[in-house]
Amino acid sequence: MQFHVAGNWERAEQHYLEVLLDDYRSADVLPLLAGVVAARGQIDRAIYYWDALLSIEPHHLNALAAKGGLLHRTGRLAEALSCFEIATGLAPHNALIRNNLAVALADSGRKDEAIIEFGHVLRLQPDNVNAYHQLRRLSSAIVPFWHIPMMNDTRRNDCFERAIRRALAIRGSSAQILDIGTGSGLLSMMAAREGATSIVTCEAVPAIARVAQEIVAENGYGEQITVIGRSSTGLSVGEDIPRKADILISEILSSDLLAEDVLSTFEDARRRLIAEDAIVIPKAATAMGCLVASETLAAYSNVKMASGFDVSRFNSLAPLRLPIHGTMTEWSRLSNDFEIASLDLTSAGHEPELRAVSIPVIASGTAVGVVQWMHVDLIDDVVFTNHPDDYHDGGWLQVLHVLPSPMPVEPGSVVDFLLGHDRSTLIVLPASFASQPIKNQAYGEREDGAHGT
Ligand SMILES: C[S@@+](CC[C@H](N)C(=O)[O-])C[C@H]1O[C@@H](n2cnc3c(N)ncnc32)[C@H](O)[C@@H]1O
């Protein structure tokens, strides 16, 4: 031990080994030996000695924690996790071990479990700044930033509330409601406030579902609303929801309508979770857009020279689309509004679609892309739109669909586009990029019948 204290690890190790050979106080010597060997950088041998100790004392907390730490350091995350899990089971009030478990969970990509674990650490050590920071870091990696501006979007909220009120007036307060995508629980609470007594809502992100559960209870609607922390595709009638829903409410429309997988989700709900004649809110959604010129947006979507070098080849990696706040970013319109894609959310299936449309140019400029917004039909005549002309403070961003390269245009000409969707993204592409001829169609004479992509 004197060699150990003096930092002469080699000699210390030799002597510890001799003591071990004498079978003298092995349980005391093995941790010292493992520590010395680890200090010499021999991680696998250190783990070997911790294992030797664990074979004598399987519940040795320090051995489990230290072995877990070494395994974690050398990237053997699954084994590290199992050490920390056993140690946490043995000492549930040990904040350090729980913290190690939380870090290993986070590093293994098991973010939600890490959030729960860091929560335990904070309950044990409310001043633990690191655990608090990690909790916030992980939560914001899981929960998209737009949740809060979305909840603050009064226009959106009011439209949904009017639609929900209308649906309940038709189906009565005993109607079974399914709300897919709980978020904060807002839409379900609107239904409950309107008198609905049987509401099931599901949220795919468990961390969000846990908070929603608390919000619903705090607002006094815990009886009427059941929050399930699972994707709608994992729900079943009879188990999670007492019977097929009479009213489906769901706001899972991304800025470009499709990115939150709205089509598969609604199709699955129609097939399994809602009655044949269920009211579906929203019933339809349309992506609208106009061709734009903008120096600001050009600088975000296209590059030529940088510090005297030609880097224009990087444009092949330019983003397909950029979220923009259509009223805060400077741009000017080069066309009237046109429809990009329209979705009937009550229909049983949706094919990808692509159609050729000629867009008349109304002003001179260099087109950089199409600014897109949405038009959502909730029920009857209740309609929401984030048209950039008069949507100034809402949470739904508009989207710039970037042209592969800027295109000078003149009024009186047309730009031929291919417009549609592949079920999960909108397609907005100049027709010159088409690999095969597609029947042309002047804008305003939209043809039924979709083209595959
Ligand atoms: C745009 S937010 C809307 C939240 C809330 N309904 C509102 O309007 O304030 C959509 C939420 O739905 C969740 N979500 C998306 N698809 C889902 C699905 N198929 N099942 C359950 N939750 C889903 C997302 O995680 C997100 O929290």
Side-chain angles (χ1 to χ4, degrees), residues 166-436:
R166 192 83 58 94
L168 279 166
I170 298 168
R171 291 296 162 92
S173 56
S174 60
Q176 176 64 55
I177 296 184
L178 173 62
D179 169 14
I180 296 181
T182 316
S184 62
L186 194 60
L187 305 184
S188 288
M189 291 191 290
M190 286 174 182
R193 179 162 66 189
E194 206 50 43
T197 51
S198 183
I199 305 160
V200 171
T201 179
C202 63
E203 170 54 59
V205 178
I208 299 181
R210 289 192 293 275
V211 173
Q213 178 91 60
E214 290 167 4
I215 294 174
V216 164
E218 275 163 13
N219 281 276
Y221 294 114
E223 287 285 304
Q224 296 96 309
I225 302 173
T226 305
V227 179
I228 301 175
R230 225 180 309 139
S231 163
S232 58
T233 52
L235 296 190
S236 53
V237 175
E239 274 176 38
D240 304 299
I241 176 165
R243 57 177 208 276
K244 286 192 171 183
D246 306 303
I247 302 173
L248 169 66
I249 315 167
S250 183
E251 199 281 78
I252 53 169
L253 293 170
S254 55
S255 295
D256 79 338
L257 297 185
L258 296 160
E260 275 199 74
D261 236 358
V262 62
L263 295 183
S264 331
T265 303
F266 274 54
E267 287 164 6
D268 173 65
R270 160 146 304 295
R271 217 168 30 246
R272 303 184 308 108
L273 304 172
I274 67 173
E276 194 65 31
D277 64 346
I279 295 178
V280 175
I281 301 172
K283 60 179 176 164
T286 305
M288 300 292 298
C290 67
L291 193 63
V292 303
S294 163
E295 280 183 24
T296 312
L297 294 175
Y300 271 89
S301 53
N302 198 266
V303 64
K304 282 195 191 79
M305 301 298 289
S307 300
F309 301 107
D310 181 349
V311 291
S312 52
R313 189 172 284 279
F314 206 91
N315 288 325
S316 62
L317 304 176
L320 186 62
R321 52 185 195 267
L322 289 169
I324 59 162
H325 199 304
T327 51
M328 280 160 61
T329 317
E330 149 286 318
W331 55 267
S332 60
R333 85 172 35 246
L334 298 173
S335 78
N336 289 323
D337 298 351
F338 57 89
E339 184 181 306
I340 297 169
S342 189
L343 313 170
D344 173 358
L345 295 171
T346 65
S347 103
H350 304 84
E351 290 300 315
E353 69 171 62
L354 194 61
R355 62 194 208 288
V357 180
S358 299
I359 303 296
V361 175
I362 59 167
S364 157
T366 300
V368 290
V370 169
V371 165
Q372 173 252 309
W373 59 95
M374 64 179 111
H375 185 97
V376 185
D377 291 297
L378 289 113
I379 190 171
D380 304 334
D381 58 348
V382 182
V383 168
F384 169 88
T385 176
N386 61 339
H387 193 294
D389 281 358
D390 72 340
Y391 185 75
H392 303 286
D393 53 3
W396 249 314
L397 293 172
Q398 285 93 18
V399 179
L400 177 78
H401 294 269
V402 176
L403 294 186
S405 51
M407 188 187 281
V409 293
E410 287 301 327
S413 64
V414 295
V415 180
D416 293 329
F417 268 104
L418 296 174
L419 301 174
H421 67 86
D422 63 0
R423 283 178 55 89
S424 60
T425 43
L426 291 175
I427 300 173
V428 179
L429 200 60
S432 48
F433 286 80
S435 57
Q436 55 190 36

Side-chain angles (χ1 to χ4, degrees), residues 158-174:
D158 289 350
C159 281
F160 271 91
E161 186 148 26
R162 265 189 290 144
I164 290 167
R165 194 174 299 138
R166 192 83 58 94
L168 279 166
I170 298 168
R171 291 296 162 92
S173 56
S174 60

